Amino acid sequence: MSGFVGRQDELAELGEITGAAAAGQVAAAVVVGEPGSGKSRLLAEAAGRAPLSNRFRVVGYEPEREVPLAAASDLLLALAASPATHGLEALLFADDREDAAALQPLRIFESAHRALRMVGPALVLVDDVQWIDELSLAICHYLVRAAHDRGESLALIAGGRPSGTSIALVESLAQVLPPEHLRRLELGPLASGEALELVGMLEPGLSQGAAREVVARSGGSPFWLEALVRTAGGEVDAGRLVTARLRGASGDAGGLLALLAVAGRPLAFDDAAELKGWEMSRLEQALRELVSRGVAVDSGGRVWLAHDLIRVAAAGEVPEEQRLDVHRRLGNWLMRSAGNDVRRLREALAHRHAAGLPSVDVADRLVRSPQRTLLGEEGLALLVEIADESESSAQSVLMLNEQIAALATDLARHDVALERSLLLAERWPDSLRRARALLDGARSAFALDDLDRASGYLARARATHAGDELLDLEFDVQQAALDLWGAGPKERGRALAHEAVERGRRLYESDERSRDDGAGG
Ligand SMILES: Nc1ncnc2c1ncn2[C@@H]1O[C@H](COP(=O)(O)OP(=O)(O)OP(=O)(O)O)[C@@H](O)[C@H]1O
Ligand SMILES: [Mg+2]
């Protein structure tokens, strides 16, 4: 096992719990965290440091979650083996059938409690709470309550994934123990310094850069840190891990996983059911399978995959045909529910695009939205991709490219804007629009501080179309800017700027007049 990093606060809190038991009191802690966050490891470290030599374990196993007393069997066997407790042994191993049928939980609980009292201050470690059968959970509760009521000592430290069972355990303990003797710990990701330290221990030869990359991709989860280090950052093992975790799962569980992986976002249960075309009960069954395997997490009526690496790995395993189908369903569903929400439209676009559905219309709706800068660089890249894949000379695609150039300028991606403008300067059939595109290109080059190219595009623009008053004015404004910012003398620029302002005013006034005339006539 690798070295241990971080978790100092948690260890201190757990130390107080075991310390209290060593001092003759009863105290408990429940550690809750996502799959792979390090609960089991933290429990082991805490136990190793505890001033209590009597330790017992209760561990839940998923296939046995319905089996009465399965999780507590180790604890019961250990207690039954102690010389002072033949009563318990008789209860547990009664071989005549009648006695077995009359298995009385309370008698077993009470015998276990007495046996535990005989051994002195003890630590009971409870792991994988989410899979613990009901009776075993009841024993844990009983042992704590009985010890507390009778003034004895006991420490119980439990760990589990976020689940109803974990919540129930905390709540039942809270009814018994005073608040200062009950802790609920939320185990989050490792801090990046700690994660780097762990990577350093696991793979001392790794470069700083590679280590940082692994840390970033792991999201601070120790489980995924190890998995990534083991595969030198590859995705292969994450895929294998998912496959291993899904062994024996139903086809429906696989189908739901595919949906979640391709969706890449949390889904409300009813939305997921609608997307799959399933009854709610069928969805819930598949959901339970994924959650119990630590692949998915659910809370507040929504479900998502437990880790982004799981999503990536699972998405890689989805067969092509199924992947396209999921994209199509998601795209259509999001389009229906998007309204004006630019983020949902953006998601819809991505899915329709991935499904190979016509996307230029959606892209155009999106790129003209007032909130378009929310699309960011990623959205911009997607729009470029869609435009480039579509029939390049179609009017709708030319207009889309124009809007993309404008968005790129808003996002200060002048390189992208320039590229779009040059493309349009080739493709617009009429010379006025080609000249305009070249002027836009000159502006982008100017913004990129490339004055030579800007001058070149401006000259080409002038040569492409002349005689349009407004366009000529814009040419001069751009020329003035180039002169004023260039290395040469500034006189021409200043003169041009003044003159352009004058012309601009005249143009504006005549425009006003003609509008007034139009309104009057
Ligand atoms: N603080 C830590 N320092 C070093 N290694 C750690 C630390 N925490 C966890 N690990 C390692 O990361 C891996 C995953 O941790 P662990 O099995 O404890 O997670 P878990 O939360 O119990 O997961 P699950 O809920 O799936 O059981 C283990 O190999 C463990 O040894
Ligand atoms: Mg664990």
Side-chain angles (χ1 to χ4, degrees):
M1 199 184 287
S2 65
F4 185 75
V5 305
R7 309 303 195 202
Q8 292 309 305
D9 294 349
E10 287 85 350
L11 280 176
E13 289 208 56
L14 297 180
E16 283 174 34
I17 299 299
T18 53
Q25 295 172 312
V26 180
V30 180
V31 180
V32 177
E34 298 293 331
S37 56
K39 305 173 294 293
S40 302
R41 184 66 189 273
L42 178 64
L43 260 56
E45 295 289 328
R49 291 160 209 223
L52 301 163
S53 53
N54 298 306
R55 291 175 203 155
F56 301 93
R57 285 174 64 77
V58 175
V59 181
Y61 293 102
E62 200 225 347
E64 298 171 8
R65 61 196 307 183
E66 316 283 356
V67 181
L69 292 177
S73 61
D74 280 358
L75 167 82
L76 293 174
L77 287 173
L79 288 176
S82 90
T85 57
H86 23 263
L88 179 61
E89 187 169 6
L91 273 174
L92 285 173
F93 302 110
D95 45 15
D96 95 54
R97 290 195 140 260
E98 250 179 43
D99 232 356
L103 193 96
Q104 290 178 19
L106 256 185
R107 282 173 61 199
I108 293 179
F109 292 5
E110 179 56 21
S111 302
H113 164 247
R114 287 188 188 165
L116 199 55
R117 183 175 57 189
M118 302 295 287
V119 302
L123 168 62
V124 176
L125 287 170
V126 187
D127 204 358
D128 289 326
V129 168
Q130 72 276 2
W131 290 327
I132 291 183
D133 60 278
E134 236 172 85
L135 270 184
S136 296
L137 205 65
I139 283 204
C140 293
H141 176 81
Y142 187 92
L143 293 177
V144 169
R145 184 170 69 79
H148 181 262
D149 287 351
R150 295 169 206 181
E152 297 152 12
S153 68
L154 181 67
L156 180 139
I157 299 181
R161 298 174 182 169
S163 67
T165 320
S166 305
I167 296 170
L169 178 60
V170 176
E171 281 173 359
S172 77
L173 291 174
Q175 288 173 6
V176 174
L177 295 175
E180 68 272 19
H181 283 167
L182 175 63
R183 303 284 160 80
R184 184 186 183 282
L185 276 64
E186 192 95 54
L187 203 59
L190 292 172
S192 64
E194 295 162 355
L196 273 174
E197 196 187 334
L198 182 54
V199 173
M201 286 180 193
L202 294 167
E203 192 63 57
L206 213 60
S207 75
Q208 271 285 330
R212 281 185 190 286
E213 161 95 346
V214 165
V215 166
R217 288 177 60 204
S218 74
S221 156
F223 175 83
W224 289 104
L225 269 177
E226 285 186 354
L228 285 168
V229 166
R230 262 186 261 122
T231 58
E235 245 124 42
V236 203
D237 246 30
R240 287 214 194 104
L241 282 163
V242 173
T243 312
R245 283 191 177 190
L246 279 180
R247 204 154 285 148
S250 70
D252 276 3
L256 180 58
L257 175 64
L259 172 65
L260 292 168
V262 176
R265 71 202 297 280
L267 290 174
F269 293 172
D270 47 356
D271 289 339
E274 183 190 332
L275 280 158
K276 293 297 300 177
W278 287 351
E279 295 284 312
M280 203 53 167
S281 57
R282 189 171 167 191
L283 177 91
E284 281 167 357
Q285 174 60 34
L287 181 69
R288 268 198 296 279
E289 287 187 61
L290 292 186
V291 170
S292 69
R293 286 173 160 79
V295 173
V297 184
D298 71 316
S299 173
R302 301 196 314 160
V303 54
W304 62 93
L305 293 178
H307 197 284
D308 196 53
L309 285 164
I310 291 186
R311 185 186 63 73
V312 173
E317 309 267 307
V318 180
E320 180 68 1
E321 213 169 296
Q322 192 182 5
R323 196 178 59 80
L324 292 181
D325 180 57
V326 174
H327 278 305
R328 184 178 54 74
R329 285 166 189 256
L330 281 165
N332 292 338
W333 172 70
L334 282 163
M335 278 294 282
R336 282 198 301 277
S337 58
N340 285 328
D341 184 337
V342 85
R343 274 162 282 209
R344 297 206 107 197
L345 274 174
R346 157 76 177 80
E347 275 185 75
L349 176 64
H351 288 301
R352 287 178 63 89
H353 177 56
L357 295 170
S359 330
V360 173
D361 289 356
V362 196
D364 197 65
R365 184 168 148 197
L366 192 57
V367 77
R368 289 173 192 276
S369 125
Q371 302 165 290
R372 67 184 184 183
T373 47
L374 290 179
L375 291 170
E377 303 237 343
E378 239 187 291
L380 181 68
L382 175 64
L383 290 167
V384 166
E385 199 182 319
I386 288 170
D388 285 349
E389 279 171 11
S390 312
E391 174 55 46
S392 60
S393 57
Q395 169 100 359
S396 58
V397 178
L398 293 172
M399 282 173 30
L400 176 60
N401 271 314
E402 218 169 56
Q403 292 296 326
I404 294 174
L407 172 60
T409 303
D410 287 354
L411 293 172
R413 281 301 305 269
H414 301 289
D415 54 331
V416 176
L418 176 58
E419 191 216 341
R420 293 294 109 182
S421 296
L422 295 181
L423 207 129
L424 287 166
E426 301 283 317
R427 293 189 186 155
W428 276 120
D430 63 303
S431 60
L432 178 65
R433 291 187 112 142
R434 282 203 301 278
R436 215 165 239 306
L438 283 164
L439 173 64
D440 287 341
R443 287 182 178 136
S444 298
F446 183 71
L448 288 167
D449 268 337
D450 191 341
L451 302 192
D452 288 346
R453 278 176 88 190
S455 297
Y457 297 140
L458 187 55
R460 270 176 64 195
R462 283 188 196 279
T464 300
H465 189 96
D468 183 275
E469 227 179 335
L470 183 60
L471 189 62
D472 285 345
L473 175 61
E474 289 184 74
F475 288 157
D476 287 349
V477 170
Q478 189 58 42
Q479 186 64 60
L482 281 168
D483 289 346
L484 286 170
W485 286 96
K490 313 283 181 227
E491 285 72 35
R492 188 177 76 155
R494 262 186 227 116
L496 208 52
H498 281 296
E499 201 253 332
V501 168
E502 246 334 283
R503 258 165 62 216
R505 185 174 16 243
R506 281 202 303 279
L507 248 176
Y508 176 76
E509 281 166 4
S510 75
D511 189 48
E512 285 272 275
R513 263 198 307 282
S514 64
R515 229 178 301 155
D516 288 349
D517 290 353

